[in-house]
Amino acid sequence: MTNRYSRQVLFSDIGEKGQKQIRSSKVVLIGCGALGSVSAEMLTRAGVGQLRLVDRDFVEKSNLQRQSLFTEEHVSQGIPKSVAATRALRAINSEIDVEGVTADATWQNIETLCQNHDIIVDGTDNFETRFLINDVAVKHAIPWAYGACVGSYGLAFTFTPGTSACLQCLFEGPPAIGTSETCDTVGILAPVVHIIASYQVTQVLKILTGQPPSKQILRIDVWN
């Protein structure tokens, strides 16, 4: 094992064996905005073997306040987030396989995007896509790390089909359009993004190393 991961290997709950498991893992991340970009960077630095990034959007100036992978140069280039993130991540860790997919996750492609991966990471900003992730996760018994944040509030839970509740157990269906607060309506603080993404990635690393994730829902308000 290279000294790149030496401090992670020294952590006894991971060790050499766990690092090899991380290195052989395949992770798909749906959404490369605030949560997604932070999670993608941490997973890349942790040494996941293959990381697939799925996002349809282009980098905008308003993203720079909280989406840590992107720069003003990406804005001026007018490139997709999946492309910008892939370039940035490859510069961070050339040892892993990073694949950017510029596409919207829909009922038509969600199964193809997620199949044959060890875990799904939620970096989305809407319930419609999360319910699609939940469907494919339950169908193929793929664990997935849910995360959401708006304003100063964040929420996270890791679903493990067969051993935990699923998203539909917590929410019967997506809330009606226009009834939920969004980053576009009430804003978002960068600190809560990093906390929720950090929690998501921690649970991902636990699963990839054969350990059970937390069974509790994380709720946090960093301002109040």
Side-chain angles (χ1 to χ4, degrees):
M1 196 67 62
T2 67
N3 62 6
R4 174 190 287 270
Y5 311 110
S6 61
R7 301 305 186 270
Q8 191 162 278
V9 169
L10 286 171
F11 181 65
S12 60
D13 285 337
I14 291 181
E16 291 275 359
K17 179 182 177 182
Q19 189 61 46
K20 289 177 181 177
Q21 291 171 308
I22 293 169
R23 185 68 183 86
S24 64
S25 66
K26 298 175 67 175
V27 179
V28 57
L29 194 155
I30 309 295
C32 202
L35 289 174
S37 61
V38 176
S39 296
E41 180 177 344
M42 284 190 283
L43 290 168
T44 296
R45 293 187 185 277
V48 298
Q50 296 182 44
L51 180 61
R52 173 178 288 170
L53 311 172
V54 183
D55 197 290
R56 68 179 181 183
D57 292 331
F58 288 72
V59 184
E60 299 176 355
K61 200 167 188 177
S62 63
N63 301 149
L64 303 182
Q65 168 253 350
R66 65 201 178 281
Q67 299 183 19
S68 60
L69 284 179
F70 307 130
T71 68
E72 291 180 356
E73 184 177 0
H74 294 139
V75 177
S76 63
Q77 291 173 343
I79 59 176
K81 290 181 180 179
S82 61
V83 174
T86 298
R87 292 176 183 173
L89 296 173
R90 286 174 178 169
I92 290 170
N93 191 345
S94 61
E95 296 179 359
I96 74 170
D97 179 14
V98 183
E99 175 195 8
V101 179
T102 305
D104 193 11
T106 68
W107 66 269
Q108 295 169 305
N109 64 8
I110 189 73
E111 197 162 5
T112 300
L113 291 170
C114 296
Q115 254 184 300
N116 302 317
H117 283 75
D118 299 303
I119 192 164
I120 305 166
V121 182
D122 170 27
T124 67
D125 60 2
N126 66 88
F127 272 96
E128 290 77 9
T129 308
R130 291 186 181 112
F131 274 96
L132 289 176
I133 293 172
N134 187 69
D135 288 345
V136 74
V138 171
K139 180 177 179 179
H140 295 283
I142 306 171
W144 70 285
Y146 162 77
C149 48
V150 66
S152 61
Y153 176 76
L155 180 71
F157 185 72
T158 304
F159 296 98
T160 51
T163 62
S164 79
C166 76
L167 185 65
Q168 274 195 305
C169 299
L170 302 182
F171 306 98
E172 290 185 5
I177 296 174
T179 61
S180 299
E181 293 181 333
T182 69
C183 297
D184 290 334
T185 60
V186 300
I188 179 72
L189 294 180
V192 73
V193 171
H194 284 258
I195 291 170
I196 295 300
S198 296
Y199 185 82
Q200 286 179 281
V201 171
T202 301
Q203 304 311 307
V204 169
L205 294 178
K206 290 179 76 173
I207 289 174
L208 295 181
T209 55
Q211 300 170 66
S214 171
K215 295 183 179 179
Q216 295 188 339
I217 298 174
L218 173 68
R219 294 185 178 89
I220 187 167
D221 189 327
V222 297
W223 195 266
N224 300 305

